[in-house]
Amino acid sequence: MKGKIFIIEDEASIVQLVQHNLEKEGYVVSSSLNGNEGLKELKKFEPNLLLLDWMLPDLSGIDICKNIRRDSNFKSLPIIMLTAKGEEEDKIKGLESGVDDYITKPFSFNELSARIKAVLRRSDPKVVANELIFDDLKLNKIEKRVFRADKEIQIGPTEFRLLEFFLTNPKRVYSRDQILEIVWPNNVNVESRTIDVHIRRLRQSINIEGKKELIRTVRSSGYSLV
Amino acid sequence: MKGKIFIIEDEASIVQLVQHNLEKEGYVVSSSLNGNEGLKELKKFEPNLLLLDWMLPDLSGIDICKNIRRDSNFKSLPIIMLTAKGEEEDKIKGLESGVDDYITKPFSFNELSARIKAVLRRSDPKVVANELIFDDLKLNKIEKRVFRADKEIQIGPTEFRLLEFFLTNPKRVYSRDQILEIVWPNNVNVESRTIDVHIRRLRQSINIEGKKELIRTVRSSGYSLV
DNA sequence: TTAATTTGTAATATTTCTGTAACATTAAGA
DNA sequence: TCTTAATGTTACAGAAATATTACAAATTAA
């Protein structure tokens, strides 16, 4: 499933068109033709994104928007506003009331689809890259290669896993226990001091003269990539 | 500071106009007139948002965008694309290459400002939770870093815990016994006067000349952050 | 099998942190 | 003003944490 999308829009023809096409693209879609109803259904449905009409018979889009932003469960629900008006004033109000994007009717389904993708991409950052980059350090997961400043670097398997681990969460400080837990194969018993030695080896490999140290020691806490 | 914004745009007049107005609104702004240069400067500047021209003399906006998205430090940097073209095709490409929003030239500064606010609002609520902020003092729990007026400060583990403690309840006055109880590991026996020394060390570290004292002594009661 | 590489540990060196004591200064009441 | 209790400051000796090195066992490559 690509994601769940909820639509609140009173023009049935638009709902039908959009819902049909989105479902064809693999989304799970639900909708409501009115504001108050829609708010309730939406909270049950728990969508990943909301398409919201600006002008509704009962509630204005802005009111709905504000209601949603006040609910801690939906504070960060991405919202794309559908508006018939082209006036800039309205656009600004919409954006300021906490909308992530808007699109003016009539719109092509292609453009809507692209905007949905863009907004969704930001809201869940699942990363499928096989290259991890940090500063001038680059690690290729499938080729098992490491580069510093475009120069390839040789490191052993353990140091590779260690570096890969650091690269998935740069800047964050990890304790030796956490590092052991994740970088070493399950249920191995190694001294926690052993990590110091591997850190040293990794440092020696990735440090190029003149370039700054990349692994930071945080006394009493652990290590991090900076 | 509201945030740091970087601009990559080759029309100097636009840069000037936008930069000036954004600075008036309280942002810290830096800019570059060309793509390759801009990329480098941007990574030094570490902005919270990028305004990126679609058509540049050397690199296309999309290329820049892709480059940024591959670098783990800037994976989630919000980008707003500035485009002269109105064609829908371009818009779609832009959105799909990982841009968060776009705006078509010529645009009013009001609209740009509203879009910036909207995009910034969404960006990275995770980071915020890890940070304790009081006045111009900032402590990042998972990166184990402390800043005063945006300048990083080195402090030892005990001073870090002490400051973290004060930051979770600013203004409140704590007795030495309470501080001992919470900041020191269980069942340690340390003289209560020892705290005075750590307070002194903390004060020395976080005090910048010209800036006001942040730790207040309450005679016969204890200390607090003010 | 042999050679080369990798790995974990222990021993040692180095760095940084911590608590305390001794002395200095300050604040507040008599 | 003097006295006294509380807090500020400083220096220093262990203590604790980390860095470095060397080496033997284990693993892998040749």
Side-chain angles (χ1 to χ4, degrees):
Chain A
M1 182 183 60
K2 287 173 79 175
K4 289 157 76 179
I5 298 180
F6 196 80
I7 307 172
I8 303 181
E9 157 71 64
D10 66 319
E11 288 177 57
S13 59
I14 292 185
V15 173
Q16 202 175 13
L17 173 82
V18 171
Q19 179 154 6
H20 173 253
N21 279 295
L22 285 177
E23 283 171 347
K24 221 165 62 184
E25 286 201 353
Y27 297 99
V28 172
V29 186
S30 179
S31 59
S32 168
L33 295 170
N34 109 8
N36 280 309
E37 283 296 308
L39 259 176
K40 283 182 211 154
E41 287 175 35
L42 174 155
K43 294 190 178 183
K44 274 190 223 139
F45 184 64
E46 296 185 348
N48 304 107
L49 184 140
L50 169 64
L51 298 179
L52 176 60
D53 189 13
W54 174 264
M55 295 293 280
L56 290 163
D58 51 349
L59 275 178
S60 90
I62 291 190
D63 293 333
I64 293 185
C65 203
K66 284 183 182 158
N67 181 308
I68 288 171
R69 291 288 181 248
R70 273 204 307 270
D71 186 329
S72 61
N73 277 321
F74 298 93
K75 235 188 204 73
S76 60
L77 172 66
I79 301 176
I80 296 179
M81 193 81 104
L82 311 175
T83 163
K85 305 184 180 179
E87 297 102 61
E88 185 179 291
E89 267 315 295
D90 282 352
K91 291 183 188 174
I92 293 175
K93 268 198 217 146
L95 289 166
E96 285 192 331
S97 68
V99 169
D100 298 90
D101 201 354
Y102 67 88
I103 187 167
T104 308
K105 293 187 247 181
F107 49 81
S108 78
F109 179 75
N110 275 347
E111 179 167 2
L112 178 63
S113 171
R115 280 164 189 268
I116 288 175
K117 278 182 202 150
V119 170
L120 280 181
R121 175 171 24 239
R122 293 213 68 247
S123 71
D124 88 318
K126 49 187 169 212
V127 185
V128 239
N130 37 35
E131 271 193 349
L132 294 169
I133 300 176
F134 180 82
D135 207 68
D136 60 354
L137 195 63
K138 191 166 73 182
L139 177 148
N140 188 311
K141 287 199 231 178
I142 52 177
E143 293 176 12
K144 304 277 181 198
R145 286 153 167 273
V146 177
F147 300 84
R148 175 92 197 255
D150 292 319
K151 274 187 55 180
E152 178 153 14
I153 278 164
Q154 295 304 125
I155 62 177
T158 303
E159 282 72 39
F160 187 91
R161 295 200 310 277
L162 193 55
L163 182 58
E164 183 179 352
F165 170 63
F166 276 123
L167 279 167
T168 56
N169 261 94
K171 297 186 182 175
R172 176 169 185 153
V173 176
Y174 289 99
S175 70
R176 293 187 174 66
D177 282 345
Q178 289 177 302
I179 295 175
L180 267 189
E181 186 79 28
I182 301 176
V183 174
W184 267 257
N186 283 338
N187 316 319
V188 225
N189 260 34
V190 285
E191 288 291 318
S192 109
R193 311 254 81 243
T194 299
I195 289 169
D196 301 26
V197 179
H198 282 284
I199 290 283
R200 156 135 172 97
R201 288 171 182 154
L202 184 53
R203 275 177 170 153
Q204 268 186 326
S205 312
I206 67 176
N207 277 6
I208 294 182
E209 59 119 6
K211 297 270 172 181
K212 68 166 187 272
E213 174 72 51
L214 284 178
I215 296 174
R216 165 172 170 242
T217 304
V218 181
R219 187 168 242 254
S220 84
S221 293
Y223 297 97
S224 71
L225 199 66
V226 290
Chain B
M1 183 181 57
K2 287 174 79 176
K4 288 157 76 180
I5 298 181
F6 196 80
I7 308 172
I8 302 181
E9 156 72 61
D10 65 318
E11 287 177 59
S13 59
I14 293 186
V15 173
Q16 203 175 12
L17 174 83
V18 171
Q19 180 155 3
H20 173 254
N21 278 295
L22 286 176
E23 284 172 347
K24 222 165 60 185
E25 287 202 352
Y27 297 99
V28 172
V29 186
S30 179
S31 59
S32 169
L33 295 169
N34 113 4
N36 280 309
E37 283 295 307
L39 259 177
K40 281 182 212 153
E41 287 175 33
L42 175 155
K43 293 190 179 185
K44 275 191 222 136
F45 184 64
E46 298 187 346
N48 305 108
L49 184 139
L50 169 64
L51 298 180
L52 176 60
D53 188 14
W54 174 262
M55 294 293 279
L56 289 163
D58 52 348
L59 275 178
S60 89
I62 290 191
D63 293 333
I64 294 184
C65 202
K66 282 182 183 157
N67 181 307
I68 288 171
R69 290 289 180 247
R70 270 175 35 223
D71 187 327
S72 61
N73 269 323
F74 300 95
K75 243 191 198 76
S76 58
L77 171 66
I79 300 175
I80 295 180
M81 194 81 106
L82 312 175
T83 164
K85 305 185 180 178
E87 296 102 61
E88 185 178 291
E89 266 315 296
D90 283 351
K91 291 182 187 174
I92 292 175
K93 268 199 218 146
L95 290 166
E96 284 191 332
S97 69
V99 169
D100 298 89
D101 200 355
Y102 67 90
I103 186 166
T104 308
K105 294 188 248 181
F107 49 81
S108 77
F109 179 74
N110 275 346
E111 179 166 1
L112 178 63
S113 170
R115 279 166 189 268
I116 288 175
K117 278 182 202 150
V119 170
L120 280 181
R121 180 176 15 242
R122 294 212 63 245
S123 74
D124 238 342
K126 275 169 290 179
V127 174
V128 179
N130 300 317
E131 285 184 344
L132 294 170
I133 298 175
F134 181 81
D135 205 66
D136 59 354
L137 194 63
K138 189 167 75 181
L139 177 149
N140 188 311
K141 290 199 249 183
I142 59 172
E143 293 177 13
K144 304 273 181 200
R145 286 171 180 283
V146 176
F147 299 84
R148 176 92 196 255
D150 290 316
K151 272 190 55 180
E152 177 156 14
I153 279 164
Q154 297 302 127
I155 62 178
T158 303
E159 282 72 39
F160 188 92
R161 295 200 309 276
L162 193 55
L163 182 57
E164 185 177 353
F165 170 63
F166 276 123
L167 279 168
T168 56
N169 261 93
K171 296 185 182 173
R172 175 168 178 167
V173 177
Y174 289 98
S175 70
R176 292 185 174 66
D177 282 345
Q178 288 177 303
I179 295 175
L180 266 189
E181 186 76 28
I182 300 178
V183 175
W184 265 257
N186 284 339
N187 316 319
V188 231
N189 259 36
V190 286
E191 288 290 320
S192 108
R193 295 299 321 278
T194 298
I195 289 169
D196 300 27
V197 178
H198 282 285
I199 290 283
R200 152 114 174 118
R201 285 171 182 154
L202 185 53
R203 275 176 170 155
Q204 260 185 331
S205 311
I206 68 177
N207 277 7
I208 294 182
E209 57 118 7
K211 297 271 171 179
K212 67 166 186 270
E213 173 70 52
L214 284 178
I215 296 174
R216 168 173 160 241
T217 305
V218 182
R219 189 166 243 258
S220 82
S221 294
Y223 298 97
S224 74
L225 200 65
V226 288

